[in-house]
Amino acid sequence: MKRALLALWSLPTHIRFWIGLGHWLGNRLPLLGLPLSMIVDRLVLVFYSLDVASRNVFVPDLRIGHPVGVLLGGNGLRSRGTLVVNAGVKFVGRAPDDPDYLARHAEKRVFDLGDNVVVGSNSVVIGPVTICDNVVIGAMSLVNRDITEPGTYAGCPARKISDAVSQAWSGPGVALPQGRDAKEANP
């Protein structure tokens, strides 16, 4: 019961709810859905400082712990699983006249991300780009090319710095238990 209440109280849960509501409104209601979705998106911007076009976000497990300054954009963000986005991350398009960008924008697939992708604070991802499963992008990195191998990437532009991928951000142990259960979870 305590965990359920804490989950309902958490900021990522609220953000997922509002993005889900905007996505549902924008894609399911024929006439009023788009304006209502845009209103929900502006409310998310005002209350959470998260700039999002929720009707173009297709991520089953989106985790944004600190939404301040995050730009998810309206270009089409897709993931097959968990996507962790930290504060200040920007997903932006390359150029409005780029043929690859225009083709992927029409399909709402400018950013095609795999499962267990973590994007570090203040990083910029310039699309169109595809990122494979199990990738960690370090803080203040610039991703302007596809990432096809799992690992840890950092720098400007982002380069692979390690084959190791920490599951600390996206694994099952993200929400550590409080109190007496904490010793059992972290021996």
Side-chain angles (χ1 to χ4, degrees), residues 35-57:
L36 290 174
S37 175
M38 292 171 73
I39 291 170
V40 168
D41 292 343
R42 290 309 105 201
L43 288 173
V44 169
L45 178 62
V46 168
F47 289 119
Y48 299 107
S49 298
L50 169 66
D51 195 356
V52 62
S54 57
R55 65 190 178 280
N56 294 330
V57 175

Side-chain angles (χ1 to χ4, degrees), residues 56 74-76 98-110 128:
N56 294 330
N75 303 320
D98 181 32
D100 188 29
Y101 170 79
L102 291 172
R104 289 179 66 172
H105 182 70
E107 298 173 1
K108 295 183 180 179
R109 283 194 172 278
V110 174

Side-chain angles (χ1 to χ4, degrees), residues 131-180:
I131 299 175
C132 70
D133 295 346
N134 300 316
V135 170
V136 175
I137 298 168
M140 299 185 75
S141 296
L142 171 69
V143 178
N144 58 358
R145 292 186 206 118
D146 292 346
I147 295 178
T148 58
E149 295 179 22
T152 301
Y153 293 78
C156 185
R159 292 182 176 89
K160 189 172 188 178
I161 60 171
S162 174
D163 288 332
V165 177
S166 170
Q167 296 297 320
W169 287 99
S170 60
V174 172
L176 294 176
Q178 302 295 319
R180 63 185 170 104

Side-chain angles (χ1 to χ4, degrees), residues 4 10 13 19 21 35 41 43 46 65 84 88 91 115 122 153 167 172 182:
S10 75
T13 303
I19 289 175
L21 178 63
D41 292 343
L43 288 173
V46 168
V84 178
F91 286 89
D115 187 17
N122 296 319
Y153 293 78
Q167 296 297 320

